[in-house]
Amino acid sequence: HSFPTRRPSHLLARPITFTRCLMKIAILSRRPKLYSTRRLEEEAKKRGHQVKIIDTLRCYMNITTQNPYIHYKGKILDKFDAIIPRIGASITFYGAALVRQFEMMGVFVANNSIAITRAQDKLRSLQILSRKGVGLPITGFAYSPDDIQDLINMVGGPPLVIKILEGTQGIGVVLAETRQAAISVIEAFLDLQAHIMIQEYIKEAKAADIRCFVVNGKVIAAMERQAKLGEFRSNIHRGGTIRLAKLTTEERSTAVRAAKVIGLDIAGVDLLRSNRGPLVMEVNSSPGLEGIEKATQKNVAEIIIKSIEKRALKY
């Protein structure tokens, strides 16, 4: 028998194409009209996927060995190929439990339940980052009012920053410029049985921080947030301004490492520029898209959806 030494011409002329796998995607969000939720929905639909926005707190779970499932508004929830969790700090416990239920059912999730729980617990996340040698501001944590003086000394004295662990968007964050002010604020918070941590104030940061958006082990966008005059909190919700940030190699690697240590594939990592290098303030599991897209003019939502497509295929 004889065999052809080359492919027939009609096969050579046919281009080899790879088609994208279309998915059914659920976005877990309590606020369907929120900018971040809308943008993720828009970009997923543009790429041909079916998308459903699900109110996290309207889901309830059947936890069983044979066939675990989820009900939503009185009906068994459809099967999905991928879940994008947008879990707010106020519903961390229930939101993480719901993500865990999807994991039990074999559904791909953009951020896993363990990483979400770590990130939402600010103290725990700092302890994990500290153990792995990631740069952090000096941070103190205490329970008893009797230890306030030593706690203040521990972080280098005033000025210092006092944070309620459950606070978000700059709420519950106070700059104490004198020792007496620090004592008064700490005593007030402890009297209200609030869990707080005390951090050194990084003066050289000049009331600015860097939000790095990390997707699948890469910084895909970064913005600098500058506090308004007379304010030290740079959050946009507190009147801060934003602009494109140019990162150093060290800042980029610190952001990537912080997200990896916490276990997040999609993360917002907040950095302070200090005299001893970049310091991680916080790692966010549900970073907002509005500020970063406006500051960088990048289609961050599309990058997230593309990343989910690739990772879900390997799941």
Side-chain angles (χ1 to χ4, degrees):
H1 297 283
S2 61
F3 296 91
T5 57
R6 60 181 181 176
R7 297 177 70 191
S9 59
H10 71 281
L11 291 179
L12 289 173
R14 184 181 299 166
I16 300 173
T17 58
F18 298 91
T19 58
R20 183 171 67 253
C21 182
L22 301 184
M23 298 185 293
K24 290 183 70 175
I25 299 174
I27 302 173
L28 304 182
S29 174
R30 298 226 64 209
R31 299 169 62 188
K33 294 183 179 180
L34 196 68
Y35 179 93
S36 301
T37 305
R38 286 191 293 104
R39 287 289 297 122
L40 290 167
E41 181 187 24
E42 287 170 6
E43 293 304 326
K45 285 183 175 179
K46 277 183 186 179
R47 297 181 63 78
H49 304 299
Q50 295 181 50
V51 184
K52 185 170 184 174
I53 299 172
I54 295 173
D55 184 341
T56 309
L57 297 187
R58 292 297 304 274
C59 295
Y60 45 105
M61 297 159 264
N62 182 311
I63 302 167
T64 179
T65 304
Q66 299 299 325
N67 184 30
Y69 57 89
I70 297 170
H71 271 232
Y72 182 63
K73 296 183 178 179
K75 297 180 180 178
I76 293 180
L77 198 60
D78 296 336
K79 290 186 177 180
F80 292 97
D81 301 300
I83 304 296
I84 305 176
R86 301 286 304 176
I87 308 298
S90 61
I91 61 166
T92 299
F93 182 83
Y94 196 82
L98 180 61
V99 173
R100 195 158 51 244
Q101 183 79 355
F102 280 112
E103 292 168 349
M104 286 171 56
M105 295 163 58
V107 181
F108 169 81
V109 294
N111 275 331
N112 68 64
S113 57
I114 294 174
I116 292 170
T117 303
R118 284 176 182 163
Q120 299 285 37
D121 186 334
K122 293 180 183 178
L123 183 63
R124 183 185 180 191
S125 63
L126 290 180
Q127 288 173 321
I128 294 169
L129 292 168
S130 172
R131 183 180 180 185
K132 295 296 183 179
V134 177
L136 303 169
I138 299 171
T139 303
F141 181 69
Y143 179 83
S144 173
D146 297 334
D147 303 317
I148 291 177
Q149 291 282 5
D150 192 37
L151 188 67
I152 291 172
N153 294 336
M154 186 189 298
V155 299
L160 53 83
V161 178
I162 304 163
K163 296 181 179 180
I164 295 179
L165 294 183
E166 293 81 10
T168 60
Q169 299 175 350
I171 298 171
V173 181
V174 178
L175 173 63
E177 299 193 54
T178 67
R179 180 173 290 269
Q180 189 53 52
I183 293 170
S184 299
V185 173
I186 294 169
E187 285 179 339
F189 279 148
L190 291 180
D191 189 53
L192 294 171
Q193 297 185 332
H195 297 295
I196 60 170
M197 62 184 179
I198 294 89
Q199 289 185 323
E200 66 172 317
Y201 178 61
I202 308 300
K203 186 176 180 181
E204 60 268 27
K206 299 178 181 178
D209 67 22
I210 307 294
R211 162 61 63 89
C212 302
F213 214 103
V214 180
V215 177
N216 202 20
K218 294 181 180 179
V219 177
I220 56 105
M223 66 176 176
E224 182 177 355
R225 303 182 297 191
Q226 178 68 55
K228 67 180 181 181
L229 188 64
E231 174 64 83
F232 80 100
R233 295 170 296 180
S234 59
N235 307 71
I236 300 171
H237 296 84
R238 307 268 75 81
T241 57
I242 54 174
R243 65 179 180 181
L244 178 69
K246 294 183 178 179
L247 301 180
T248 65
T249 302
E250 187 181 10
E251 288 167 346
R252 194 175 293 273
S253 63
T254 298
V256 169
R257 190 173 175 217
K260 184 178 180 180
V261 166
I262 299 300
L264 293 169
D265 290 297
I266 299 171
V269 180
D270 296 339
L271 303 177
L272 289 172
R273 285 173 167 162
S274 79
N275 292 334
R276 59 182 189 270
L279 305 176
V280 176
M281 276 200 310
E282 188 176 341
V283 182
N284 195 315
S285 62
S286 298
L289 303 186
E290 186 170 10
I292 199 79
E293 287 197 333
K294 288 181 177 179
T296 64
Q297 295 298 301
K298 284 190 176 182
N299 191 336
V300 174
E302 182 185 44
I303 295 171
I304 291 173
I305 298 301
K306 285 182 177 180
S307 169
I308 289 170
E309 289 170 357
K310 292 177 182 177
R311 291 162 53 214
L313 282 175
K314 299 175 183 178
Y315 186 71

